[in-house]
Amino acid sequence: MGPRRGSRVGPEIITRDLTKRFGRLTAVDGLDLEIPRGQVFGLLGPNGAGKTTTIRMLTGLSRPTRGTATIRGIEVTKDPEGVRAVMGIVPQGNVLDRDLDLTDNLVYHARLNRMVPGSYRPRITEVLELVGLGNRAHEWPLNLSGGMKRRFTIAKALLHEPGILVLDEPTTGLDPQSRRLMWDKLLELRGRGMTVLLTTHHMEEAEELCDDIAIIDDGRIITRGSPEDLKSRHGGERVVVAVFKGAPPPGPRLLEMGSTGMKVKGRRVRLTSDRPMELARRLISGYGDDLTTLSVQEPSLEEVFLNLTGRRLRD
Amino acid sequence: MTGGPPGPEGPAPAGEVGGGRARSMSSRVNPAFRLFQKEMYVHGKTIYTEIAYVILFPILLLWTMRLGLGDKVIIDGVEYINFIMPGIVVMSVVTTAFFNTGFVMLFEKEYSGSFQGLVVTPISPQEIVFGKVLAGTFKALINGVLITLVLVLAIDYRPPPQALLLFPVLFLAAFFFAAMGIIFGVVLQKGYQLGTIGNLIIVPLTFMGGMFFDAGALEGLAQTAVQLSPVTHMIADSREVMIHGGVDILPGMVITLVLCLITYTGAVVVFKRAVYR
């Protein structure tokens, strides 16, 4: 066994009406997705939105109630083991075997993936170096920090050189420094052309890593697009906030500079604009000496989610 | 380790990930065997913690019996110490198979990351259950062999040639209870629950199955009840080959084999339902 014959032309991951019910609860409802090769695709949504259930169906760990999922031409329900052979899966929790050191953990994982010693011995060194654990090859899992454990989980997933990397909440529970390190590693993989599917409820993570995002809530995709596209379509206004040293200039003058709307509160002026950077440049050019601060506020994915659902992502 | 046939899509273009370098060298060894290998490797590192119990418990039991009963008690033409030996071996094997497999499954499922790490690999639920049941069987067999050696040395037991048939008897006994261990390890969530099941069901089954008395001498409903227990046949067959030098174990082994198939199938079903929801 090993990765099966599949189509290199066309999307890597295709779902049609993918649905999962647990009794009366519909966890995932009619998901239609196509994820092309080499893309970093994010499923962004709050806890309980159906992200992990979607991942479990795509990786053959949960049978859909309805619909289909195809990974590189392999239908998941017909050959779940074949699907997992072409994927590297990083589950939400850590997957270290505490009875084995890091190298033995990887040897065991390689053997479960039917790798032979000639291929996995050098590969073990390679993946440990890739995630920054090259000097801890014989360390025991209990001695690793949380960030190291997550990085090691990625190393394990990459060991058999999968074409698709699937990560379920890859940085949950990590401190900011470890999170940043993890992002750097994932961006490195993106640069190598790997197809990546990740789930997250951190909007910053989705914005930083993803080429394309589907926002999911209550088991349904409510919108999809690149981070910029989503903010442009659903993010609401782009705002320039200027704080003047004294009284602000008259309103008509500010509107002439390209602002579409204005709110004044004391020395603080909030200007909306379709071209906030250009407006900011004009304000600096015209009133640079009169300004205390000037900031450009782009809409965030949090605002996108709020505008679409009426709730915050973190509720 | 043998390599597999070349991958269907050939080698990767330079710089491309997931292009199949590893796929062109694929092992034919079933992942279930790899799982078994790993479990035995880990067991080997900690077996010293079990040896003390495996060796001391039967010695203490038998020396106590010999001290108290001497050669005064004869059952079925056999001194009582020799009469209970097969039951001790069977009890050790079935309790090891049940508790070891059950606790490993429960611990990995509830507390350790290794279970998640296992199911995300290209190994099927049937292969996982088979690998774990096989590992539990062999761990129990090791204990059975050790205890038998202790008996040979400690109480001057001289096994007849037919005692070699003990291995298939104990293998099936261990396989049955290892599969039972999987079922309860999957269904239960706390270690003490497994201990309760084992101490209230498994251990009494061995006691009532003829470990300390001749189960065949019971009458009426009691006889019917003990004959329904698989442990009764395991102990009877062990006693037949270890003590009486007989070979009439086929009916008992057929019953145990059928039960093994039923419990293994049940273990796979329960495992799939719990893990692959």
Side-chain angles (χ1 to χ4, degrees), chain B residues 214-226:
Chain B
D214 181 5
L218 295 172
E219 291 175 355
L221 277 176
Q223 173 63 222
T224 307
V226 297

Side-chain angles (χ1 to χ4, degrees), chain A residues 1 3 5 8 37 56 61-62 81 84 91 94-95 97-99 104 108-109 113-114 119 161-162 194, chain B residues 9 16 18 21-23 25-27 31 35 38 41 45 107 113 116 119 121-124 275-277:
Chain A
M1 196 173 71
R5 194 180 297 277
R8 281 286 181 96
R37 192 157 183 263
R56 285 179 59 83
L61 296 176
S62 178
E81 289 81 44
R84 289 199 290 278
N94 286 315
V95 296
D97 192 321
R98 299 199 288 186
D99 294 317
D104 282 345
Y108 177 46
H109 188 77
N113 279 278
R114 293 183 183 251
S119 70
E161 297 183 85
M194 176 164 273
Chain B
E9 291 166 271
E16 182 176 303
R21 272 181 290 161
R23 284 177 279 176
M25 292 187 285
S26 182
S27 168
L35 172 55
K38 176 247 170 187
Y41 170 72
K45 293 200 293 180
F107 180 79
Q116 271 293 308
V119 298
T121 63
I123 183 171
S124 68
V275 176
Y276 298 80
R277 289 178 302 135

Side-chain angles (χ1 to χ4, degrees), chain B residues 12 17 20 59 86 88 147 155:
Chain B
V17 295
I59 291 177
I88 291 172
I147 283 190
I155 63 163

